[in-house]
Amino acid sequence: VVSSGATLANQTIGSGASATLQAYASAGTNLVISGGTLDLYTNNTTSTTIVGTGGNFILESGVTFTATSGNYATSGNTITVNSGAVLSGSRISSGGTINVQGGVVSSTVVDGGTLNVYTPTGGTNNTTFTSNGGVVNLESGFKDTRTWTVSNNVTFNVLSGAAISTPTVQNGGTVAVASGGTIAGQAVVSSGGTLVVNGTVGSNSILLSGDGARLVVSGTSMPTNTISGWSPKDTIDLASIPQASVTSVTTTSTGITFYTSGGTYSLNVPGASSYGYTLSSDSNGGLIYTTCFAEGTSLTTPDGEATVETLVPGTLVMTPKGAMPVKWLGHRSITVADQRVPEENWLVRIREGALADGVPSRDLLVTQEHCMVFEGKLVPARMLVNGVSILIDRTINSYTYYHVELESHEAVWAENALTESYLDTGNRSQFDNHTVTAIFGGSKAAGSETLPLETSRAFVEPIHATIAARAASAAPQPELTTDPDLHLVTNFGQIIRPLRQANDRVMFMIPAAVESVSLVSRSSRPSDTIGPFVDDRRNLGVLVGDVSLFASRKTVRLTAHFSLSHLSGWHELESSRYRWTDGNAALSLQSGDIVSREPSILSIQVVSGGPYLVEDHTVRSDLECSKNLWL
């Protein structure tokens, strides 16, 4: 205990120790808290440094303490600001804590640490947050009228008995309101923000502002607050309702009702029925309900626009040849993650106005192989992707799609964009209502006589360029390289780098007793590296020609890659002289004329390769949404 007029300096307060500086005592330089407790009743401080772990620094009534560069709440340290005290200019680092117990904290920087506020009317001024985020706990009794903006990896916990006023939760931010906590005024959740509630929070609405806002209901008591602003990509997570328990869901113009094996749960969501949805589970098995896209795709009919799911056999739809009746309407529901090749099952989103002014008239969602019509020819939607106005939408994991079949394979207008009617290519059995017998059987692989398929680069690239030029901005281009990083991996696991390269020949020194190698290189798809207007989605490594082995004063040509059609790591034979690898191709070095136990030199003719995506690895390891989608 340091009395009035005395000074404590050049001391370390270790674990289990304590120091009390009474009024008018002085804290001198080199005073270090390292596991112990410093209780401050005086304003006479020079350079008090808080270091170590587990230390406690207490500011008592009447004390105003301005932190210097070392006076931070670092890992394991706690600063307590009691009633009547003021702490200014401190920083709360990861693992550190500041308790505002009735005092005031001014110009505090939360840098990954925790700020506990107990003051009934607020005890913080000018609090800021770094990109490291942090946690603010509003304890029981906290209540003020300030508007908090929460973002950037910051979490506000509004505990039982506390109230937060009109918070805005932005991208990366979370406001979690415990049972008994309150939101005074309207909570606004922007895209990328998360609001967690447990039952009703106050009497005002919760506004989901912008696509991609997230609301979590942590308990089984549903909030009665109006949840306004419901729009595509918004998510509701019913964390305590198992997804597996859901038996059905209904949506109306005023809300959503979940029917489960354990009970019925309802939310007040105006406009809920205007959007499709998908059901999935969170990491703990809780129910996630996500919006997908707007109400049904509209087709042009003689009487105006009609949504695809309302069509029935006999309904007339418009084609460039005039009105034609619907013969069959097929629909199928899939979940992307359950497909054999999930990447090929994400939808293509053609944004409003992407093709021309007002074309499409609003966002149009189609499967990647579904075709749009240009100059009377079919082009798969995947070949038009530019990443801005036409993009692969990886936000919709489950969806239901529709096909409309007419008397013949024709072009129809969907959202004012010309696309194709259903062509039976042998996939009718995939549809949920496929029991209808075949009605139209046109050509299979190349479109039809009415609408031929055209995927040549000469035809598609100019169309792609015109559409890309209309986009508001250019999509970022991937980083490419022409270096294949070619090397071998032996059957013993050894990595062999090239000995030398001469023109198109790459030489490798092969140790004795090696019987086979893998020809390993970077690999990429031409549709990714050159552009989607190139209809080649093979993962290509290098194009290999002649392969020769020099050993025992003999030269032997290895030709298995030309003669064996099914050879691991090789694409299908295209010619008698060259063959593409997929980046990890098997190559046997066994020959009756070569003794494998002797060292040898392997010569590989690399005819072509690249460009490659830089992020690709050089060694590859083999290790219900909406009823409203038009396809």
Side-chain angles (χ1 to χ4, degrees):
V1 177
V2 183
S3 302
S4 174
T7 299
L8 182 66
N10 300 315
Q11 296 292 325
T12 296
I13 307 171
S15 179
S18 64
T20 301
L21 273 69
Q22 296 181 342
Y24 305 110
S26 296
T29 58
N30 299 321
L31 183 58
V32 177
I33 305 173
S34 181
T37 299
L38 175 62
D39 203 351
L40 199 65
Y41 288 82
T42 181
N43 286 316
N44 296 331
T45 58
T46 303
S47 181
T48 303
T49 304
I50 305 169
V51 296
T53 59
N56 294 284
F57 185 26
I58 304 172
L59 303 183
E60 302 289 359
S61 179
V63 173
T64 297
F65 184 86
T66 300
T68 61
S69 60
N71 299 126
Y72 300 151
T74 55
S75 179
N77 289 305
T78 298
I79 302 177
T80 300
V81 186
N82 285 329
S83 180
V86 176
L87 173 66
S88 178
S90 192
R91 177 183 294 264
I92 318 172
S93 301
S94 179
T97 302
I98 293 182
N99 295 318
V100 187
Q101 293 273 22
V104 174
V105 172
S106 179
S107 300
T108 301
V109 177
V110 180
D111 183 29
T114 300
L115 178 65
N116 298 318
V117 186
Y118 296 82
T119 307
T121 57
T124 60
N125 295 314
N126 301 321
T127 303
T128 58
F129 303 88
T130 71
S131 60
N132 291 323
V135 176
V136 177
N137 293 316
L138 304 181
E139 305 284 348
S140 179
F142 176 88
K143 182 179 181 181
D144 67 12
T145 59
R146 287 173 293 180
T147 299
W148 293 91
T149 298
V150 183
S151 63
N152 212 22
N153 301 318
V154 175
T155 296
F156 269 57
N157 293 314
V158 184
L159 304 180
S160 180
I164 190 171
S165 178
T166 56
T168 296
V169 193
Q170 298 180 344
N171 185 36
T174 300
V175 170
V177 186
S179 178
T182 302
I183 296 176
Q186 185 182 63
V188 179
V189 188
S190 301
S191 178
T194 300
L195 175 64
V196 182
V197 300
N198 189 343
T200 301
V201 286
S203 58
N204 294 280
S205 65
I206 297 169
L207 173 61
L208 306 181
S209 176
D211 296 348
R214 182 168 181 258
L215 174 66
V216 178
V217 181
S218 59
T220 57
S221 178
M222 298 297 105
T224 59
N225 306 79
T226 298
I227 302 167
S228 60
W230 192 236
S231 65
K233 300 183 184 178
D234 287 346
T235 295
I236 294 176
D237 183 354
L238 303 184
S240 296
I241 310 298
Q243 191 271 338
S245 71
V246 177
T247 56
S248 64
V249 179
T250 60
T251 60
T252 66
S253 60
T254 59
I256 308 168
T257 300
F258 302 91
Y259 298 92
T260 77
S261 57
T264 301
Y265 306 91
S266 296
L267 295 170
N268 182 9
V269 185
S273 59
S274 297
Y275 299 95
Y277 64 87
T278 179
L279 302 181
S280 58
S281 59
D282 60 25
S283 59
N284 295 314
L287 171 64
I288 296 179
Y289 179 98
T290 306
T291 54
C292 295
F293 38 85
E295 62 273 16
T297 301
S298 295
L299 271 64
T300 302
T301 76
D303 299 320
E305 300 296 306
T307 53
V308 62
E309 71 272 17
T310 64
L311 301 179
V312 295
T315 302
L316 295 177
V317 297
M318 293 302 300
T319 77
K321 298 178 181 179
M324 289 189 178
V326 172
K327 295 298 297 278
W328 178 72
L329 184 72
H331 60 82
R332 181 189 180 208
S333 298
I334 74 167
T335 298
V336 173
D338 294 340
Q339 303 307 302
R340 186 176 64 85
V341 185
E343 183 62 26
E344 295 179 359
N345 288 273
W346 296 116
L347 297 173
V348 174
R349 181 181 292 273
I350 304 175
R351 294 201 181 279
E352 177 183 343
L355 306 180
D357 291 345
V359 182
S361 53
R362 64 172 185 163
D363 283 13
L364 178 64
L365 287 160
V366 297
T367 56
Q368 295 183 37
E369 294 301 329
H370 188 75
C371 293
M372 308 305 292
V373 180
F374 298 90
E375 301 176 21
K377 299 178 181 180
L378 300 177
V379 176
R382 60 176 168 79
M383 298 187 71
L384 305 174
V385 169
N386 56 45
V388 178
S389 61
I390 302 180
L391 62 151
I392 302 295
D393 191 330
R394 293 180 174 82
T395 67
I396 304 171
N397 185 50
S398 299
Y399 54 84
T400 300
Y401 63 80
Y402 285 76
H403 264 308
V404 175
E405 186 176 48
L406 308 179
E407 292 278 1
S408 58
H409 186 215
E410 303 291 348
V412 295
W413 282 278
E415 304 297 355
N416 204 30
L418 268 182
T419 185
E420 63 173 330
S421 65
Y422 172 67
L423 173 64
D424 186 0
T425 59
N427 67 340
R428 189 184 297 274
S429 62
Q430 294 179 353
F431 291 90
D432 296 338
N433 56 340
H434 66 270
T435 52
V436 177
T437 57
I439 296 172
F440 171 74
S443 60
K444 302 294 189 279
S448 65
E449 292 183 3
T450 308
L451 293 172
L453 181 68
E454 178 58 85
T455 60
S456 70
R457 180 174 179 178
F459 182 78
V460 179
E461 187 172 8
I463 297 172
H464 184 278
T466 299
I467 295 171
R470 287 184 52 83
S473 60
Q477 298 302 306
E479 185 179 355
L480 303 177
T481 180
T482 56
D483 177 15
D485 189 25
L486 188 66
H487 57 281
L488 304 179
V489 179
T490 72
N491 54 292
F492 299 114
Q494 300 163 291
I495 295 177
I496 303 176
R497 296 289 175 180
L499 177 65
R500 62 187 178 89
Q501 183 169 348
N503 298 321
D504 62 352
R505 298 279 177 166
V506 184
M507 309 292 186
F508 297 89
M509 179 65 73
I510 307 298
V514 173
E515 298 179 354
S516 65
V517 295
S518 294
L519 183 58
V520 179
S521 69
R522 285 189 170 96
S523 63
S524 290
R525 305 190 310 176
S527 59
D528 295 330
T529 58
I530 301 173
F533 45 80
V534 176
D535 194 25
D536 190 344
R537 293 181 290 167
R538 295 175 300 166
N539 210 50
L540 301 181
V542 290
L543 183 61
V544 175
D546 178 73
V547 179
S548 299
L549 193 66
F550 304 92
S552 301
R553 299 181 182 181
K554 296 180 180 179
T555 300
V556 175
R557 292 185 69 237
L558 303 179
T559 59
H561 59 297
F562 293 143
S563 59
L564 299 179
S565 58
H566 299 290
L567 189 59
S568 175
W570 297 86
H571 286 287
E572 294 181 1
L573 288 166
E574 295 180 63
S575 75
S576 60
R577 299 179 59 193
Y578 311 118
R579 189 174 183 181
W580 281 102
T581 75
D582 67 1
N584 193 356
L587 191 63
S588 175
L589 305 184
Q590 294 297 293
S591 172
D593 297 326
I594 294 291
V595 179
S596 64
R597 294 189 177 280
E598 295 187 10
S600 58
I601 294 178
L602 181 68
S603 171
I604 299 176
Q605 182 188 19
V606 179
V607 179
S608 183
Y612 307 97
L613 295 175
V614 169
E615 64 268 23
D616 276 4
H617 297 297
T618 58
V619 180
R620 298 186 300 106
S621 175
D622 293 329
L623 304 174
E624 148 188 13
C625 187
S626 174
K627 308 186 191 94
N628 312 315
L629 177 62
W630 165 257
L631 296 178

